[in-house]
Amino acid sequence: MPYDLLYRNNGFFLTHTGCVTIHEINEVNGVIHGHSEFDAHTFQLIDLLDADFSMVDREAAKLPGATDSAASRTRGNVKVAILVIDPVAVAFCKEYIGTAKRC
């Protein structure tokens, strides 16, 4: 599994490495939303610095963006930081953020 998820200090720490698929992004999203501490968390730190997004279509970012936007209505004031430098991953993240804001 090319991601690692930890819950610590009221926050989720997610690291994706290697070749990422939209299935894995949606899978870990579901794990976070279903986590026993979801209602108590205050932040998410998502590390994509070693992730390869070449197999993920930018348009695929709309589903997790909409899903997270809906989940944020039940969990107010959660801060999210995404660490990313790869241009393909940056484009995905921009689409994700734009979709979340529009929803």
Side-chain angles (χ1 to χ4, degrees):
M1 176 175 348
Y3 68 81
D4 185 41
L5 179 65
L6 298 170
Y7 179 82
R8 183 175 50 206
N9 299 326
N10 294 331
F12 288 102
F13 295 83
L14 172 62
T15 303
H16 280 281
T17 57
C19 191
V20 176
T21 67
I22 192 61
H23 171 74
E24 291 154 351
I25 292 168
N26 290 329
E27 177 184 314
V28 75
N29 221 14
V31 171
I32 291 171
H33 294 169
H35 194 279
S36 63
E37 298 294 336
F38 180 78
D39 289 337
H41 89 287
T42 58
F43 70 92
Q44 296 178 22
L45 179 60
I46 303 167
D47 179 349
L48 303 177
L49 296 176
D50 293 321
D52 173 0
F53 271 65
S54 63
M55 300 297 291
V56 181
D57 183 341
R58 186 178 121 196
E59 288 294 307
K62 291 180 178 179
L63 178 60
T67 301
D68 285 354
S69 179
S72 72
R73 292 188 184 103
T74 66
R75 237 351 269 134
N77 210 21
V78 172
K79 305 295 183 210
V80 178
I82 304 172
L83 306 173
V84 61
I85 55 173
D86 175 69
V88 176
V90 168
F92 179 91
C93 291
K94 285 181 177 180
E95 187 67 37
Y96 164 84
I97 291 166
T99 298
K101 284 182 177 181
R102 286 188 300 276
C103 289

